[in-house]
């Protein structure tokens, strides 16, 4: 196993750690870095789940209404 492959797996595992601690948005970043190195369907599925959790936990921006 190459150092790059170990790094890719480490990013995935760190993303899993963050996700399990309720830090889905930070996990998404780690999954994205892992996927940039190489494709893995497990990482992709984890990224999709973390992204959904991140979006669900983020406050929605209030639309700004301007007077005509």
């Amino acid at each position: 196993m190459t150092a790059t492959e170990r790094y890719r797996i480490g990013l995935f595992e760190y993303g899993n750690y963050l996700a399990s601690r309720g830090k889905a948005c930070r996990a998404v970043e780690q999954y994205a870095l892992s996927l940039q190195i190489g494709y893995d369907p497990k990482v992709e599925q984890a990224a999709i789940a973390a992204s959904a959790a991140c979006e669900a936990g983020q406050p929605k921006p209030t639309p700004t209404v301007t007077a005509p």
Side-chain angles (χ1 to χ4, degrees):
M1 184 181 303
T2 66
T4 302
E5 182 64 10
R6 288 191 302 271
Y7 179 60
R8 185 190 68 77
I9 292 169
L11 290 167
F12 172 56
E13 293 300 332
Y14 185 50
N16 290 340
Y17 171 82
L18 291 170
S20 72
R21 302 289 185 286
K23 297 177 177 12
C25 297
R26 290 183 54 202
V28 169
E29 296 170 7
Q30 300 305 309
Y31 296 142
L33 290 170
S34 179
L35 288 169
Q36 286 176 358
I37 295 171
Y39 176 76
D40 184 329
K42 292 185 292 185
V43 179
E44 182 179 45
Q45 289 300 316
I48 291 168
S51 180
C54 178
E55 289 177 14
Q58 297 296 313
K60 303 295 181 214
T62 305
T64 305
V65 180
T66 57

